[in-house]
Amino acid sequence: MPTELPSIILDCDPGHDDAIAILVAARHTRVLGITTVAGNAPLSATTRNAIIVRDLVGLAAPVHSGAERPLIQTPKHADYVHGKSGMDGADLPEPSGPPASTDAVGFIIETCRANEGTWLVPTGPMTNIALALRAAPDLKDRIAGISLMGGGLFGNRTAAAEFNLWCDPEAAHIVFSYGGPLIMAGLDVTHQFQALPHRIEMVRALPGVLARVLADLLDFFSGTYTSRHHGIGGAAVHDPLAVMALTHPELFTVKNAHVDIAMGDPRTMGMTIIDQRDLREVPPGNCEWLTHVQADAAWDVVVEAIAHFSH
Ligand code: BDR
Ligand code: CA
């Protein structure tokens, strides 16, 4: 495990698995702020959920809301996975207040300029991050990198595309071509990390409100996965892996790869084109592609974080 905590901005659309990402980030990183984007649910809902989870884990970091819609595409949500609220399934407390601002993009730019070496961790559609990179090209050389959840060898929203990248493929294209360090937690690794029944029981066995809320959220999340998929043991808990790639790199197998984003054709838009050809003409890698996670050990990280914050 790295000795110094990485400084991060978590850009998310909670989202059951985004909630787990906030939890792990609170335990193992210096969270400079949480920014929200429309994705799993409309922006008002994802922002509300982010504030609730931030409060539950007792984090002081500000929450700034951002883009209400993708750069070009029409907004689309994932209530078939996360419910209408974006985080259905638990009796949630009210948020402690409104977001610190509605200018997530300005917050990202200012914070990255003031804190060189910050990691951006997007776990929703990449609209805010793309807008920040476009408005402030100097960020490329100021940030440590971008560790994102999205893409992979197969799709979930379409045959080709993963949800976050399918929602805003143009933003994803800007992110994947920004030219600095990039880590991709795609579906091929996140589907190795499932909220199996015995793993949810480990959470439910812990004392406190946070543990109860997260166990209820994971039950709902796994319910939608097991009802929609053939033969899956529980929900794929995607988003915390983008955080753990920074905090627990020893849990992952990684391949350097060149990854491009398909745009335009609705059949493939948002697809990550991972160049696996064994040819000299293949362009240099732009991405550290996570290919394997030690799932039991990664789940222990989640459980320890809940035990730490839940009383
Ligand atoms: C991604 O989409 C959302 O439903 C999850 O929160 C995750 O970020 C997985 O495709
Ligand atoms: Ca998400």
Side-chain angles (χ1 to χ4, degrees):
M1 207 188 289
T3 46
E4 206 181 308
L5 297 186
S7 295
I8 74 162
I9 296 174
L10 184 61
D11 184 67
C12 57
D13 63 338
H16 298 71
D17 52 331
D18 302 78
I20 306 291
I22 294 172
L23 165 88
V24 174
R27 179 74 176 117
H28 291 287
T29 76
R30 184 173 161 242
V31 184
L32 301 179
I34 297 172
T35 51
T36 56
V37 65
N40 286 324
L43 183 68
S44 56
T46 59
T47 303
R48 176 187 161 85
N49 295 341
I51 294 170
I52 291 171
V53 177
R54 188 271 316 262
D55 296 345
L56 277 170
V57 299
L59 195 60
V63 174
H64 295 262
S65 66
E68 228 161 350
R69 48 158 303 153
L71 296 183
I72 294 172
Q73 310 299 326
T74 53
K76 297 171 204 95
H77 309 301
D79 48 333
Y80 49 91
V81 175
H82 298 277
K84 273 263 173 262
S85 73
M87 252 174 37
D88 276 15
D91 188 10
L92 297 172
E94 286 298 306
S96 58
S101 88
T102 55
D103 183 18
V105 174
F107 172 79
I108 291 168
I109 294 170
E110 281 162 30
T111 306
C112 290
R113 285 181 176 157
N115 298 270
E116 299 239 344
T118 296
W119 280 93
L120 299 177
V121 184
T123 62
M126 284 153 216
T127 323
N128 290 334
I129 304 294
L131 288 168
L133 290 170
R134 274 288 152 95
D138 58 298
L139 290 198
K140 167 181 172 287
D141 297 317
R142 293 184 188 274
I143 62 175
I146 300 176
S147 180
L148 61 87
M149 190 282 135
L153 281 174
F154 53 89
N156 58 4
R157 188 55 186 80
T158 67
E162 179 280 327
F163 176 77
N164 290 339
L165 271 53
W166 174 81
C167 280
D168 199 341
E170 289 77 18
H173 190 267
I174 291 171
V175 169
F176 274 79
S177 54
Y178 92 102
L182 189 67
I183 302 172
M184 176 174 77
L187 293 177
D188 41 298
V189 73
T190 64
H191 273 248
Q192 298 167 29
F193 189 50
Q194 295 175 5
L196 302 173
H198 76 277
R199 290 187 177 144
I200 299 179
E201 279 320 306
M202 291 163 76
V203 176
R204 200 170 284 292
L206 296 170
V209 176
L210 177 66
R212 179 181 50 74
V213 166
L214 291 179
D216 289 349
L217 288 176
L218 289 167
D219 268 339
F220 179 93
F221 194 31
S222 271
T224 61
Y225 266 76
T226 51
S227 67
R228 296 182 71 240
H229 287 254
H230 294 292
I232 201 165
V237 188
H238 313 275
D239 293 339
L241 297 191
V243 178
M244 283 191 229
L246 304 177
T247 59
H248 297 76
E250 70 282 2
L251 299 182
F252 296 92
T253 309
V254 177
K255 261 190 204 167
N256 185 258
H258 188 272
V259 179
D260 202 353
I261 307 297
M263 292 181 294
D265 184 336
R267 291 170 305 174
T268 53
M269 74 174 199
M271 175 183 182
T272 41
I273 304 162
I274 305 174
D275 200 331
Q276 297 191 77
R277 293 174 296 168
D278 176 29
L279 289 176
R280 293 181 201 281
E281 71 198 50
V282 169
N286 60 342
C287 176
E288 297 300 318
W289 167 33
L290 306 179
T291 58
H292 183 262
V293 61
Q294 295 175 38
D296 284 331
W299 194 259
D300 287 344
V301 172
V302 170
V303 172
E304 192 281 336
I306 300 170
H308 182 82
F309 290 121
S310 189
H311 303 290

